[in-house]
Amino acid sequence: MSVSMSRICVSPSGYRLSLASVLGWHVYGLLQRSDKKYEEAIKCYRNALKWDKENIQILRDLSLLQVQMRDLEGFRDTRYQLLKLRPAQRGSWVGYAVAYHLLVDYDMAIKVMGEYRKTQIVAQEKPDYEYNEMVMYEAQLLRESGQLQESINHLDQFEAHVCDMLGVLELKAEIFVDLGKLSEARILYWKLLKRNPENVTYYTRLEEIVKPANKLEFYLNLRKELPNSSTAKRLPLNIATGDDFSRLLDEYLQPGFRKGVPPLFLNLKSLYTDPAKVEIITNTVESFYQCLRQHGSLYPPDSDSFVQEPPSTVLWVLLYLARHYTTIGDTQKALEYVERAIEHTPTMLELHMTMAKVYKNADDLKAAAHWMDEAQSLDTADRYVNSKYAKYLLRIGQVEEAIEKSHKFTREGASTLDTLIDMQCMWFELECAKSYYHTGKLGEALKKCHQVEKHFVDIHDDQFDFHTYCMRKMTLRAYVNLISLEDALKNHPFYIEATKLAVKIYLQLHDHPATKEVEVNNQQEDSMTTAELKKLRRKQRKAELKAQAKAQEDKKENKPKQTENDKKVGEEKDEELDPVKLVMVKDPLEEALKFLVPLQHLSRGCIDTHLMSYSIYCRKRKFLLMLRSIKRGLVVDPEHPQMHENIVDFVLAVQAATDEQLSGPVKLVVDESLPRLLGGKASLDEFNRDYLSTHRDSLLHLLTGSSVLYRLHPECRDEAISLITDLGHPKRNLKTCLKVHALLKNGTFGKCPEHVSNFEANCHKLYPLATAFKVLEESSAAIVENHLDCKAEEKPVENEIESPSQKPPSQEPPSHEETVTNNAEPHDSLQNN
């Protein structure tokens, strides 16, 4: 019998012998708490307190569970009982005050903290951290309650006992702004800038206070006052235009190129939303490069700034130009400059990473993975580069090799995948899920999504230990912030990404039910060409051989022995997230809603939440919920292209609904809302024609309008396709072309092989590196085919296949906005990807 089962068997027998046994109820409550059955544990504690109302330990345990479950009123009452029983203990007073704070009863919280503070005696000459925290927490309570002047007076009165002077300055400055005392706030923010001249928030707050008539002059004066601050030199570039911008840019780039600052481009990347500034940057850096080639200086010989530059300067200029051109979409120039840079210094790791980035932005992921492999081979001890290489491998479907590459930075002697799961490395799991999805392994993709969701559950459960720790260590401000963070935890981008993918898969399973995951793969094979099918079979044979070889190796290895309990726990985990069972779920829509419900409460300002909601409810034919999703989406982003398609779909669903499906009050509400949704237009055709005319300058909106046009009038297919295949459109780019290509291939406009082939040929001329627009034999990935095939012989990979769906998602290229700070390493758990 396992330990868990023995506990459950022993404890009930203990309290059944005597229902008045305080110890029995308490122990059984502890067992329920250890199994994370918090509601049952609370019932046990309450039963124990019926027979011993003044048991300190049980009251303390009950209060922890109440705040964990956010039973704040019960938490307040329990903390009051503890205060009456132990009025001399600090934790009793602090816990009671925090309970009122969480209930937003600031007056009582302030009163409790004030009464307790009066009992404390602190030496004047030696500031105490715990007393400092109590003073700062009381000041925060006063501010949140709206007693701004009282908060300032409180800080002034006890400033001698405060250690956190930075916190005092920031809090006072914010309160002075709220009070309208801008002169005092200006003095404090200037002091803060002197302490930390790299904090951008201080600059923006100071600008809001001063409200200068000439912002550029304001920031230039700050730059003079803070000559050593790189932020003070960078911020004027956001405001300057024309010749002023050119001059300031010149002054900013010079030291960066001479000193060799790797993130120089990233510091300026936010300026690339302004075409005029992009043109000035291009001319400036190109002139630097030409002068370096001809004269060995950033400036011509007749200039006063003429100085002979070291050989490294041209290297950093080339690196910047490569990153510059790949960002603005000029792949050929980017390749030209990065190749020159590699020829100049072949061992510089950043150059190979930039080459990989260029190929990735050009939609040639195999070549990108090859160059990232070259980069990580130059420094095998660099965790970040290794993580990037693993990510690129996942994006070309080489999951097994990506896992193996991550092994060098995981716990030795343990499974790499299990270690990454234990480390809550969610970026890796999300990339694995996407890779499995594109290769048709829907069960494995769902398993990864559920693992990400479980991480958030674990993080929420882990807060339990901090309820006692923060009270004991007096980290009250951090504790209240933790409670707020945990309440909105699933608003994190990682959870949103996992939800989007899980909902997409469950919708696909609802539209195309499958008894086995193999059937899903078979549906994909039907839509593949002969060449693609042959390549898939070859990859599958290699995978089978690899699996057999790995099984034999596992038998030879001496694995550590597991206890019976460990085996059972492992079996329970595997059974819970079995890929086959996840695919064969009875009600995919309900499973999708389990992921989506937290976002409906926490992410109402995210348009994806309402788009996913509509996709689910339209399949359930819940007309009021469909209407609610559309209305909320229109509030968040009325110009989103998908909103137009949802409105048309809703109107068609209403027109096709029977009297049984749409009757009574529901019909009245829907009929009243339809005219407003259609903007007063008499018909869907008029509504869509007006939409196409209004958004003719946006290719993304034309994609939606043309698909609706074909849906309303199938005979107008050629007209609809011509709207989106016009490569002369001013907003045309690789990303939009890939979306058009996906729509043409997935059957949105019916079977149109001639249009697909013509569009691919035309796009191939514009984007010769994009694999989506090439014949298999012509793919530029052939330059690394031998490199990848050699590895595939040892570590076979899956070919990338589009999963079948009623409305298959368009596969977009990786975002151009990816930066160093947006790529978490394997040890990161909650960092943006």
Side-chain angles (χ1 to χ4, degrees):
M1 182 181 294
S2 66
V3 177
S4 179
M5 288 301 297
S6 64
R7 291 187 309 173
I8 294 176
C9 291
V10 170
S11 182
S13 62
Y15 72 76
R16 282 173 186 168
L17 293 175
S18 175
L19 293 177
S21 172
V22 176
L23 180 61
W25 282 113
H26 190 195
V27 172
Y28 190 47
L30 292 175
L31 295 179
Q32 296 285 12
R33 189 185 77 180
S34 65
D35 292 335
K36 299 181 180 178
K37 298 178 181 179
Y38 297 133
E39 295 288 351
E40 296 298 323
I42 290 175
K43 293 178 182 178
C44 293
Y45 291 152
R46 292 192 182 280
N47 284 328
L49 289 173
K50 289 179 181 178
W51 309 102
D52 188 359
K53 297 182 179 180
E54 298 185 354
N55 190 306
I56 298 294
Q57 186 59 47
I58 298 177
L59 285 170
R60 187 177 293 116
D61 291 341
L62 176 60
S63 70
L64 298 179
L65 287 180
Q66 286 172 330
V67 70
Q68 176 77 8
M69 300 300 294
R70 300 300 188 268
D71 179 12
L72 299 181
E73 293 184 355
F75 176 61
R76 176 199 59 196
D77 296 338
T78 304
R79 296 307 306 189
Y80 179 64
Q81 295 296 325
L82 287 169
L83 177 60
K84 290 196 301 182
L85 294 172
R86 291 291 187 272
Q89 290 185 356
R90 180 181 64 190
S92 301
W93 290 89
V94 171
Y96 193 43
V98 170
Y100 276 111
H101 187 186
L102 296 178
L103 283 168
V104 200
D105 190 346
Y106 298 113
D107 293 336
M108 277 300 299
I110 293 168
K111 184 177 179 180
V112 172
M113 290 300 297
E115 291 297 325
Y116 173 67
R117 177 173 42 77
K118 294 176 183 178
T119 65
Q120 302 300 299
I121 301 176
V122 181
Q124 292 285 342
E125 66 277 1
K126 186 180 180 180
D128 179 73
Y129 171 76
E130 294 180 353
Y131 193 81
N132 157 82
E133 187 65 24
M134 186 167 58
V135 171
M136 294 297 295
Y137 179 62
E138 192 172 351
Q140 178 179 333
L141 287 173
L142 288 167
R143 185 197 177 192
E144 292 181 11
S145 66
Q147 304 177 50
L148 302 180
Q149 188 59 51
E150 289 79 358
S151 180
I152 291 290
N153 298 338
H154 175 78
L155 290 172
D156 292 338
Q157 180 181 356
F158 297 99
E159 188 170 356
H161 303 290
V162 174
C163 311
D164 184 13
M165 294 307 301
L166 177 62
V168 171
L169 288 174
E170 290 181 337
L171 185 57
K172 277 188 174 182
E174 292 172 0
I175 294 175
F176 278 135
V177 172
D178 295 337
L179 286 171
K181 297 182 178 181
L182 301 183
S183 59
E184 290 87 344
R186 179 178 182 178
I187 294 172
L188 291 179
Y189 273 115
W190 183 248
K191 288 182 179 179
L192 288 168
L193 273 176
K194 290 287 188 179
R195 290 173 64 104
N196 181 10
E198 305 299 337
N199 192 318
V200 179
T201 303
Y202 298 159
Y203 288 92
T204 55
R205 296 292 281 174
L206 191 59
E207 179 193 337
E208 293 171 359
I209 293 169
V210 176
K211 297 179 181 178
N214 189 331
K215 292 185 179 180
L216 179 59
E217 183 179 354
F218 169 76
Y219 279 106
L220 291 178
N221 291 332
L222 287 178
R223 189 177 70 163
K224 293 178 182 178
E225 295 289 340
L226 303 169
N228 296 325
S229 171
S230 60
T231 303
K233 298 173 184 177
R234 168 63 183 83
L235 290 177
L237 294 174
N238 294 336
I239 302 165
T241 58
D243 294 337
D244 289 332
F245 177 79
S246 180
R247 175 177 54 83
L248 293 173
L249 177 69
D250 189 288
E251 296 174 1
Y252 185 80
L253 290 175
Q254 285 180 44
F257 289 146
R258 285 170 178 160
K259 294 178 181 179
V261 179
L264 181 63
F265 174 77
L266 296 178
N267 293 340
L268 298 177
K269 196 170 184 179
S270 60
L271 301 174
Y272 280 66
T273 55
D274 187 340
K277 291 185 177 181
V278 171
E279 183 179 358
I280 294 175
I281 293 173
T282 303
N283 296 334
T284 301
V285 184
E286 282 284 6
S287 67
F288 283 162
Y289 178 62
Q290 296 301 327
C291 288
L292 283 169
R293 290 186 63 187
Q294 298 173 12
H295 312 294
S297 173
L298 293 172
Y299 301 96
D302 57 351
S303 173
D304 296 336
S305 303
F306 179 82
V307 177
Q308 283 297 130
E309 302 292 344
S312 60
T313 303
V314 68
L315 177 65
W316 293 106
V317 172
L318 286 170
L319 177 60
Y320 188 96
L321 285 170
R323 293 176 173 177
H324 168 81
Y325 280 113
T326 189
T327 301
I328 64 177
D330 194 337
T331 303
Q332 295 301 326
K333 280 193 175 182
L335 287 174
E336 177 185 348
Y337 283 115
V338 74
E339 286 170 358
R340 292 180 187 177
I342 292 176
E343 184 180 354
H344 183 281
T345 307
T347 58
M348 186 174 176
L349 184 146
E350 286 84 356
L351 299 178
H352 296 272
M353 294 183 67
T354 302
M355 179 72 86
K357 183 76 173 288
V358 172
Y359 275 109
K360 185 206 74 170
N361 290 346
D363 192 44
D364 195 343
L365 299 182
K366 285 191 175 181
H370 162 70
W371 282 104
M372 193 58 71
D373 185 17
E374 294 291 330
Q376 71 91 27
S377 66
L378 295 175
D379 187 358
T380 57
D382 192 313
R383 181 191 292 255
Y384 170 73
V385 180
N386 188 80
S387 300
K388 292 288 290 184
Y389 180 43
K391 179 186 289 188
Y392 277 44
L393 288 174
L394 290 171
R395 289 180 176 178
I396 61 174
Q398 298 187 16
V399 179
E400 294 297 329
E401 187 167 342
I403 294 173
E404 183 177 345
K405 288 297 179 182
S406 302
H407 176 68
K408 63 178 71 175
F409 293 106
T410 57
R411 188 168 60 247
E412 187 176 356
S415 169
T416 303
L417 200 54
D418 291 342
T419 303
L420 291 173
I421 293 173
D422 293 339
M423 294 160 60
Q424 296 180 342
C425 186
M426 285 184 269
W427 72 263
F428 188 88
E429 291 170 325
L430 285 172
E431 290 292 339
C432 282
K434 294 174 184 177
S435 181
Y436 283 133
Y437 174 75
H438 292 308
T439 54
K441 298 181 178 180
L442 304 186
E444 293 291 344
L446 280 176
K447 181 177 179 179
K448 293 299 178 185
C449 293
H450 279 276
Q451 285 175 348
V452 172
E453 192 270 340
K454 187 177 183 300
H455 290 327
F456 284 90
V457 174
D458 292 340
I459 293 170
H460 184 271
D461 291 338
D462 289 342
Q463 71 175 299
F464 186 85
D465 297 330
F466 291 93
H467 298 315
T468 54
Y469 175 84
C470 293
M471 298 290 186
R472 187 173 68 254
K473 294 295 185 180
M474 284 295 291
T475 55
L476 303 180
R477 290 179 295 166
Y479 177 64
V480 174
N481 292 337
L482 170 68
I483 296 297
S484 301
L485 170 67
E486 294 288 351
D487 289 341
L489 186 63
K490 289 189 176 180
N491 196 23
H492 193 276
F494 280 169
Y495 184 81
I496 295 175
E497 285 298 314
T499 299
K500 288 166 64 176
L501 182 57
V503 169
K504 184 186 298 183
I505 295 173
Y506 279 125
L507 292 178
Q508 181 172 322
L509 292 174
H510 175 270
D511 298 336
H512 303 280
T515 56
K516 294 181 181 179
E517 191 175 3
V518 177
E519 293 185 8
V520 181
N521 293 331
N522 290 339
Q523 292 175 7
Q524 287 186 359
E525 294 173 5
D526 294 339
S527 62
M528 296 172 63
T529 63
T530 304
E532 290 173 338
L533 194 58
K534 288 181 179 179
K535 189 170 184 179
L536 173 64
R537 297 294 183 228
R538 184 169 65 255
K539 297 293 184 181
Q540 289 175 343
R541 286 194 295 271
K542 291 179 181 179
E544 292 176 0
L545 294 175
K546 176 183 176 295
Q548 295 174 1
K550 185 176 181 181
Q552 294 177 357
E553 292 177 1
D554 291 341
K555 292 180 180 179
K556 296 178 182 179
E557 294 178 356
N558 294 324
K559 296 184 178 180
K561 295 183 178 180
Q562 292 180 318
T563 63
E564 292 296 325
N565 188 42
D566 293 336
K567 291 180 180 179
K568 290 184 178 181
V569 171
E571 290 174 0
E572 290 175 0
K573 289 183 178 179
D574 293 339
E575 182 179 358
E576 180 183 359
L577 294 177
D578 180 43
V580 176
K581 291 185 177 181
L582 290 174
V583 170
M584 296 170 62
V585 66
K586 294 182 179 179
D587 192 346
L589 297 182
E590 287 300 321
E591 295 298 323
L593 278 175
K594 291 179 182 179
F595 273 90
L596 185 60
V597 166
L599 296 185
Q600 290 178 330
H601 295 290
L602 300 174
S603 298
R604 291 190 177 184
C606 177
I607 186 63
D608 290 325
T609 300
H610 308 298
L611 297 180
M612 289 187 288
S613 298
Y614 181 84
S615 299
I616 295 173
Y617 294 135
C618 74
R619 287 165 171 81
K620 285 177 166 287
R621 280 299 182 262
K622 301 288 186 180
F623 289 97
L624 287 182
L625 293 177
M626 292 163 65
L627 180 60
R628 186 187 70 177
S629 301
I630 290 176
K631 287 186 174 182
R632 288 182 175 180
L634 290 173
V635 171
V636 175
D637 187 0
E639 295 299 323
H640 193 281
Q642 189 62 37
M643 290 304 305
H644 176 71
E645 186 173 354
N646 287 353
I647 292 173
V648 173
D649 182 81
F650 178 71
V651 175
L652 291 176
V654 170
Q655 293 174 354
T658 62
D659 293 337
E660 295 179 357
Q661 294 175 327
L662 192 65
S663 61
V666 176
K667 181 176 177 57
L668 292 176
V669 172
V670 170
D671 290 343
E672 182 182 352
S673 301
L674 285 181
R676 290 199 297 269
L677 291 180
L678 294 177
K681 299 298 184 294
S683 64
L684 284 176
D685 184 63
E686 183 182 353
F687 176 65
N688 189 57
R689 293 287 181 181
D690 179 71
Y691 182 85
L692 288 171
S693 175
T694 305
H695 298 90
R696 59 180 177 273
D697 293 333
S698 172
L699 188 54
L700 291 177
H701 291 81
L702 287 179
L703 289 176
T704 302
S706 60
S707 63
V708 170
L709 176 61
Y710 174 72
R711 185 176 180 182
L712 297 175
H713 303 286
E715 69 277 5
C716 298
R717 185 178 72 170
D718 292 340
E719 178 187 354
I721 293 176
S722 65
L723 288 173
I724 60 176
T725 54
D726 179 15
L727 296 180
H729 195 280
K731 297 295 180 67
R732 181 263 305 159
N733 54 37
L734 176 58
K735 184 178 179 180
T736 54
C737 287
L738 288 171
K739 285 190 175 184
V740 172
H741 184 251
L743 288 177
L744 293 175
K745 291 193 69 175
N746 65 21
T748 301
F749 297 94
K751 294 183 179 180
C752 48
E754 294 183 0
H755 290 93
V756 172
S757 59
N758 291 335
F759 186 73
E760 287 178 349
N762 294 331
C763 287
H764 178 60
K765 297 176 183 178
L766 295 172
Y767 307 105
L769 294 179
T771 54
F773 306 134
K774 297 179 185 177
V775 181
L776 187 63
E777 291 75 15
E778 296 179 356
S779 175
S780 68
I783 64 173
V784 294
E785 190 70 27
N786 293 334
H787 170 82
L788 294 173
D789 282 347
C790 290
K791 294 189 175 184
E793 292 296 333
E794 302 175 0
K795 303 168 185 61
V797 301
E798 300 290 343
N799 188 28
E800 185 172 357
I801 314 167
E802 183 183 349
S803 296
S805 173
Q806 184 179 18
K807 294 181 180 180
S810 58
Q811 299 183 14
E812 302 178 6
S815 172
H816 290 215
E817 298 300 323
E818 183 180 7
T819 63
V820 173
T821 57
N822 288 337
N823 289 277
E825 297 177 353
H827 65 280
D828 295 329
S829 60
L830 285 178
Q831 193 172 350
N832 280 340
N833 181 23

